[in-house]
Amino acid sequence: MKDRAMQALYLQALDPIAETKADPNSYGFRKERRCADAMEQCAMVLSNSTRPQWILEGDIKSCFDTIRHDWLLTHIPMDKTILSTWLKAGYMDKSALYATEEGTPQGGIRSPVLANMALDGLERILRKKYPHSGRSALQGKNKQVHLIRYADDFIITGISKEVLEDAITPLVTDFLQERGLKLSEEKTSITHLEDGFDFLGQNVRKYKGHFLPRPSKKNVQAFLPRIRKVIKDNKQATASWLITQRNPKIRGWANFHRHAAAQETFVH
């Protein structure tokens, strides 16, 4: 408890610094920001007919577990001795102590801010290389490159598949490699907007020229078994008790997707 209290104390000083340096379109683990804000930015970037049509779906492999300690100690503006002690403290599993030579543990009070600070800066690099306005944009450097990130999940838009494949992906790879991170080959892909892509539990796609985010099939398929389990675990319960156990889960899931085109999903 004392250690968590000390982390919370240092976090109060570190969090304002992280906010001032954060990428404009980073939405995960930040105050006054949520998934709906990230999806709203998706709509702003992708809904216009002249907007980018190609999307790099990025997922960082084991982000929290593989961030380099030396990078954090060099770039995080806090007491290095304290930070090093926390990073190298290790973890207990079945009465055995395991060393931590890299990464910052998920569930730790400080971990989300450290991870965000490690990933911040990518959007500024992209905007500098591919400006949206000004003389550079008029000279052909406007490749419609936009970054939207929620924690370690992100998308990057582009004017063509070649731009994302030949220019953006290597840039992202180098940025992550410096921090001890790399893209997940299984979860990273380049998709056309007409084919659609999944982001934050929603499927984003253009239907006959209209931008429509919907609850993704994977998200629906993951949610339904949880509701079935509640019903099966309460076979002997009264109807009122079952309703009190089930409805908060349904309400929470529905509220998450209420800003999407979810009417058909809700009906079924």
Side-chain angles (χ1 to χ4, degrees):
M1 291 299 295
K2 180 180 178 181
D3 183 61
R4 290 182 68 86
M6 289 298 295
Q7 288 186 37
L9 181 63
Y10 274 88
L11 184 59
Q12 288 185 5
L14 185 61
D15 195 44
I17 299 173
E19 283 297 310
T20 61
K21 295 184 175 182
D23 284 338
N25 290 299
S26 164
Y27 297 93
F29 303 118
R30 294 181 63 189
K31 295 178 181 178
E32 308 299 331
R33 294 194 173 209
R34 53 181 181 163
C35 290
D37 297 319
M39 297 309 300
E40 181 183 18
Q41 181 63 18
C42 280
M44 292 178 62
V45 170
L46 299 171
S47 60
N48 194 302
S49 60
T50 60
R51 296 294 185 173
Q53 300 296 305
W54 289 92
I55 295 91
L56 168 65
E57 305 171 61
D59 184 270
I60 302 171
K61 187 174 182 179
S62 303
C63 178
F64 284 89
D65 298 329
T66 57
I67 299 175
R68 283 173 45 188
H69 285 179
D70 58 344
W71 191 94
L72 292 173
L73 290 169
T74 301
H75 294 88
I76 301 301
M78 64 169 287
D79 187 286
K80 307 304 180 184
T81 302
I82 296 295
L83 179 58
S84 178
T85 301
W86 286 342
L87 293 173
K88 303 293 185 182
Y91 66 95
M92 296 289 295
D93 184 33
K94 297 180 180 179
S95 301
L97 177 63
Y98 296 87
T100 48
E101 299 301 330
E102 59 184 9
T104 175
Q106 296 190 51
I109 295 175
R110 71 195 184 279
S111 297
V113 172
L114 294 181
N116 264 341
M117 295 186 77
L119 297 174
D120 284 331
L122 178 58
E123 184 174 4
R124 288 190 290 273
I125 293 173
L126 291 171
R127 283 193 175 185
K128 183 177 181 180
K129 188 170 183 179
Y130 301 104
H132 300 158
S133 59
R135 180 179 297 178
S136 295
L138 293 175
Q139 292 173 348
K141 291 187 178 181
N142 183 7
K143 303 299 183 182
Q144 299 179 356
V145 175
H146 299 265
L147 169 71
I148 302 169
R149 179 171 67 84
Y150 191 96
D152 57 343
D153 292 329
F154 64 89
I155 64 168
I156 300 177
T157 66
I159 197 171
S160 68
K161 183 178 182 180
E162 289 72 26
V163 167
L164 294 176
E165 199 169 56
D166 300 333
I168 302 300
T169 300
L171 187 152
V172 174
T173 300
D174 292 342
F175 176 87
L176 295 177
Q177 189 174 17
E178 182 184 349
R179 293 150 175 78
L181 304 171
K182 61 181 180 179
L183 291 171
S184 170
E185 294 182 4
E186 300 81 9
K187 298 181 179 179
T188 300
S189 60
I190 297 175
T191 310
H192 194 275
L193 188 56
E194 295 289 346
D195 298 323
F197 63 95
D198 288 352
F199 185 53
L200 301 180
Q202 295 185 9
N203 180 262
V204 180
R205 182 181 170 190
K206 270 194 173 181
Y207 296 85
K208 298 180 180 180
H210 298 285
F211 175 85
L212 287 178
R214 295 180 174 181
S216 69
K217 291 182 179 179
K218 289 182 180 179
N219 188 269
V220 174
Q221 291 170 356
F223 173 68
L224 291 178
R226 298 204 300 268
I227 298 301
R228 293 190 185 103
K229 187 176 185 303
V230 171
I231 296 173
K232 290 179 180 178
D233 291 347
N234 291 275
K235 288 181 178 179
Q236 308 303 321
T238 62
S240 60
W241 173 257
L242 179 59
I243 289 172
T244 60
Q245 296 298 306
R246 185 195 62 179
N247 279 16
K249 292 179 171 54
I250 297 176
R251 188 181 302 113
W253 184 83
N255 284 337
F256 181 86
H257 290 289
R258 64 177 177 168
H259 301 292
Q263 181 176 356
E264 183 177 338
T265 303
F266 289 168
V267 168
H268 291 87

